[in-house]
Amino acid sequence: MITTRNPATGEEVDRYEELTRHEIETKLATATDAFGEWRLSPIERRTELLEKLAETYEANEEKLARQATLEMGKTIASARAEVQKCAKLFRHYAQEGAPMLEPLSWQLGDGGRAEGRWLPQGPVLAVMPWNFPYWQVVRFLAPTILAGNVGLLKHASIVQGTAALMEEMMIEAGAPEGVFQNLAISSDPVADILADERVVAATVTGSEGAGRAVAQQCGKYLKKVVLELGGSDPFVVMPSADMEEAVEQAVKARIQNTGQSCICGKRMIVHADIYDDFLDRFSAAMKDVTAGDPFEDDTDMGPLSSQEQLDTVLDQLKTAQDEGAKLLFGGEPTDGPGAYISAGILTDVPLDSETAQEEIFGPVAQLYRAEDIDDAIRIANAIPFGLGSSVWTNDDEERERFVRDIEAGMTAVNQFLASAPEAPFGGVKRSGHGRELARFGLHEFMNLKTLMLPG
């Protein structure tokens, strides 16, 4: 039995029966049958479904948003924005996707020629997290539909109602049976599903542990896997930066989704010449942040996603202080029910400590002092992750140094790092491998078949 709870109150929301082995087998058989037909569907049919999905999400925005807020606590404003972003992604592939699948061609040295054809491969299993319960799934789902593949979703248990709604939206949009199916399961059956020869690949967004488990199983059976395993992104501020804007965006980075975002800056690395000024401004702004009812439009941030997540963050903050870090303020559970925590700042975190090497998935920033650009880059790279990064400088040479030398899959310059349908998304090091979004995400699970032809 899968039970969902409202993290703002701790009250039970709903219960869902887990699929039996027989029901999982039926889902796999349905996916296989659906792929046999969907792979042959004309591109016009696929883009038509994507456009219809965009319309369906827009028409059901409030229903979808309220479900996400109820199950994982994000503010209703951010939940609505997430649904809108999903519609934008569906529409992007609907309108721009067809040219991404056009054949490639090459002239060969012997007078012959070759073509490259993009072909679908089959059912893809997605193992997805709770923090952006629609967007993380649609990042995989939209290109899956366009490619002619079919999708199977193993969503986080705490957002099982959200997952069920996504399948409902597919049906409402007129998708053929089996093109996308939600699997109401725990983590236990995932290994057997990946071992099944009918499942051709997997994509994972989530913890390093989840990524390792799925990658090991995919490696055992020689299946492609794309991994996005989070990170502890650097947010570097140099003396030439617009201080007011940098502080405003640093606060946004730490409280967006109650600090539960993979690509929002978590480690603020500030040049020594402006460190004290930044700390004063940043502290004042973070102290003004309030946690409240996520269904209220003017709430800064809601609760963490669950009591378990709150306990994890509190344990991390205790460890940080045991290791010598200073908790200047915040990072405390609030009075009353719900998984609420106050925004806070950690300083003096030893670079070789457990805290410095981990991702704190909550609204607490780590603040580091850098003596110069070399020191800033050293601190930025002194962790095993490399997903995103944000750098604040109006010096062109500094910008190019950061782009070249920070070990990350993405770097935003003088702006808050955010994903977009048109740009590839992914990381390096232990943040994973492979890319989502844009044409690169579309091609990850396709067969680029080479066709050799006479001249």
Side-chain angles (χ1 to χ4, degrees), residues 388-406:
S389 53
S390 180
V391 298
W392 294 79
T393 175
N394 285 306
D395 183 302
D396 290 343
E397 291 185 6
E398 287 180 348
R399 180 191 65 191
E400 291 307 313
R401 278 288 312 279
F402 287 130
V403 172
R404 184 190 72 186
D405 294 340
I406 287 183

Side-chain angles (χ1 to χ4, degrees), residues 235-237 241-252 268 278 282 392:
F235 187 103
V236 184
V237 186
D242 180 330
M243 178 68 77
E244 183 177 351
E245 181 67 12
V247 169
E248 180 181 334
Q249 295 303 312
V251 174
K252 179 180 177 182
M268 282 54 191
F278 182 91
F282 187 45
W392 294 79

Side-chain angles (χ1 to χ4, degrees), residues 64 126 132 361:
L64 292 167
F132 290 92
F361 224 44

Side-chain angles (χ1 to χ4, degrees), residues 54-72:
E55 295 171 359
T56 302
Y57 271 60
E58 288 168 340
N60 291 276
E61 177 185 313
E62 193 65 17
K63 177 180 180 180
L64 292 167
R66 293 188 71 83
Q67 186 69 30
T69 296
L70 183 65
E71 288 188 321
M72 59 74 56

Side-chain angles (χ1 to χ4, degrees), residues 75-97:
T75 65
I76 191 66
S78 64
R80 291 172 184 141
E82 183 177 341
V83 175
Q84 293 164 9
K85 191 172 183 178
C86 290
K88 181 180 179 181
L89 180 54
F90 282 129
R91 190 162 283 122
H92 169 72
Y93 280 115
Q95 297 176 354
E96 308 294 335

Side-chain angles (χ1 to χ4, degrees), residues 27 55 122 186 223 242 244 252 266 274 287 306 338 355 367 387 415:
K27 296 276 190 180
E55 295 171 359
S186 66
K223 295 181 180 183
D242 180 330
E244 183 177 351
K252 179 180 177 182
K266 297 179 178 70
I274 58 171
K287 287 177 180 177
S306 65
T355 300
L367 192 58
L387 186 56
Q415 61 181 302

